[in-house]
Amino acid sequence: MQKILVTGGAGFIGSHTVVALHEAGYTPVIIDDFSNSASSVIDNLKDLTTSDLLFFRGDVNDKTFMQKVMRDTKPSAVIHFAAKKAVGESVANPLAYYRSNVDGLLTVLETMQENDIKSIVFSSSCTVYGEPDVCPVTEDTPQKQATSPYGATKQMCERILEDVTQSDALNSVALRYFNPVGAHPSAKIGELPIGDPNNLVPFLTQATAGLRGPLTVFGDDYGTPDGTCVRDFIHVMDLAEAHVSSVKYTLSHNGYNTFNIGTGHGNSVLELIKSFESVTGQKVPYSIGARRPGDIVKIWADTNKAKNELGWQTTRSLDDSMRDAWHWQQSLK
Ligand code: WQD
């Protein structure tokens, strides 16, 4: 079976993509240094994939390590997740973000070139758009000045991929994720933030489980129907399956391409809370607080390009995401 190298494969989106790759008949080859993931994820993935995977512990910035893995496993394609992804942290420590996110991609591309591997799927983000003037955003929506070093690294990496694709006959796809939420329905893998969660849903499920104080909704005075921010919350398994479609696409199409990977719908923070309460029967402890600096008011995706060119679209609802997120939180007891 064709091997697909998954850097950051023990992470939230990476681990779910490993399962989707296995289900599609590929052999996942995972690289992870556990800097932002737990080693237990590998054991759980072996359960979910009947051990049909390979794992190598190491850092994508370690050229010698990467060269050995690529030479020994000879993957058909690479999915590159391994990167730092906390917006606030990137403002506090921009150098670490440029080293990890930009230098890491360069190391992956150089070792691919040296091993004649031509296909890569890259983990980008809707952050590249900044605060859009119009929603839904299409892939042609003009990108604004990044509002964080994290967003800047994603814009730089997309440009690097586009330039290297043109010069080296690389076949590459950048997937612009919206807001990944939920967990695998088995509750064996899910979002496992180390320390205090940055993102809404893990904070919400931990507050509901009584593991921390009430959730603070960061502002209800925005120009939206209920005053809270609007996002495109996509089930992580839908997002994982988009990576399988993208691997197939890079193995059969030349050039560089970008795709919005979202549901195509916007939901507010309060609508997400209502969805969670309705499918779990739990009451979310929350209060309304001040706006969070740097938050954009609203963003959601136009997903027609992924539907028409990747043959991919979401099949899971926000209720499905909330149900699976709660099952995952309960499994962590
Ligand atoms: C969502 C909404 C908050 C926490 C970021 C990155 C993006 C991607 C996903 C990596 C916002 C509100 C949150 C809380 C709240 N990451 N919120 N109380 O900021 O949309 O996107 O994470 O790729 O690139 O930018 O996600 O989950 O932090 O926030 O009210 O305790 O929930 O204000 O409106 P965000 P988020």
Side-chain angles (χ1 to χ4, degrees):
M1 290 195 285
Q2 282 185 307
K3 295 188 185 74
I4 307 297
L5 179 62
V6 184
T7 74
F12 176 36
I13 304 164
S15 57
H16 290 78
T17 301
V18 163
V19 175
L21 285 168
H22 167 74
E23 287 170 354
Y26 294 102
T27 298
V29 178
I30 300 171
I31 282 177
D32 208 295
D33 63 0
F34 299 135
S35 60
N36 193 25
S37 54
S39 58
S40 58
V41 172
I42 300 300
D43 300 328
N44 296 334
L45 284 175
K46 284 179 178 171
D47 288 346
L48 285 167
T49 62
T50 60
S51 294
D52 174 28
L53 58 81
L54 299 172
F55 170 66
F56 300 88
R57 181 170 183 169
D59 181 350
V60 290
N61 287 73
D62 177 347
K63 184 89 184 283
T64 306
F65 165 74
M66 288 299 291
Q67 177 63 25
K68 180 167 178 14
V69 173
M70 292 229 195
R71 189 181 59 239
D72 294 353
T73 62
K74 295 181 177 46
S76 304
V78 176
I79 305 178
H80 181 43
F81 291 106
K84 292 180 181 297
K85 63 157 197 160
V87 173
E89 183 188 54
S90 76
V91 176
N93 192 355
L95 260 184
Y97 271 69
Y98 288 112
R99 174 64 67 196
S100 170
N101 294 11
V102 182
D103 206 22
L105 175 64
L106 296 178
T107 303
V108 167
L109 291 174
E110 285 171 350
T111 39
M112 283 177 67
Q113 214 171 52
E114 290 157 11
N115 291 276
D116 201 27
I117 299 164
K118 298 279 186 199
S119 297
I120 181 169
V121 176
F122 173 69
S123 165
S124 189
S125 169
C126 63
T127 310
V128 301
Y129 297 112
E131 175 83 67
D133 298 328
V134 176
C135 283
V137 293
T138 71
E139 288 81 357
D140 298 324
T141 295
Q143 295 186 17
K144 295 194 174 162
Q145 171 84 8
T147 54
S148 71
Y150 166 76
T153 65
K154 291 303 181 184
Q155 290 177 338
M156 288 176 195
C157 287
E158 287 196 5
R159 177 61 196 268
I160 289 166
L161 276 174
E162 191 170 9
D163 290 346
V164 173
T165 298
Q166 270 150 20
S167 69
D168 292 334
L170 185 74
N171 303 322
S172 61
V173 159
L175 297 184
R176 294 172 181 165
Y177 306 159
F178 283 70
N179 286 60
V181 291
H184 190 268
S186 69
K188 282 183 179 285
I189 53 174
E191 195 166 3
L192 205 57
I194 295 174
D196 293 341
N198 292 303
N199 293 129
L200 172 64
V201 173
F203 206 108
L204 182 155
T205 57
Q206 289 182 16
T208 304
L211 301 177
R212 58 177 62 252
L215 167 74
T216 301
V217 172
F218 295 141
D220 69 346
D221 57 351
Y222 287 99
T224 61
D226 64 19
T228 63
C229 295
V230 176
R231 294 289 185 275
D232 186 330
F233 297 104
I234 176 172
H235 195 294
V236 65
M237 281 313 296
D238 277 329
L239 178 56
E241 288 161 6
H243 288 77
V244 177
S245 303
S246 298
V247 162
K248 291 175 181 168
Y249 181 90
T250 59
L251 291 171
S252 54
H253 290 74
N254 295 325
Y256 169 73
N257 217 335
T258 61
F259 295 100
N260 286 340
I261 303 299
T263 65
H265 314 292
N267 283 112
S268 74
V269 173
L270 286 180
E271 284 173 338
L272 181 142
I273 292 172
K274 287 190 184 75
S275 162
F276 179 89
E277 292 183 334
S278 71
V279 294
T280 64
Q282 301 292 318
K283 189 86 185 82
V284 176
Y286 74 91
S287 62
I288 304 294
R291 294 182 174 191
R292 179 173 66 176
D295 270 338
I296 61 173
V297 184
K298 62 183 184 309
I299 189 166
W300 66 91
D302 177 314
T303 56
N304 284 310
K305 188 180 175 190
K307 183 179 176 186
N308 298 332
E309 295 185 32
L310 285 182
W312 169 90
Q313 61 186 352
T314 53
T315 60
R316 298 161 180 93
S317 67
L318 182 58
D319 284 357
D320 294 329
S321 298
M322 294 302 98
R323 184 181 301 112
D324 291 338
W326 183 236
H327 287 163
W328 164 246
Q329 182 63 60
Q330 290 178 302
S331 77
L332 293 174
K333 275 179 183 156

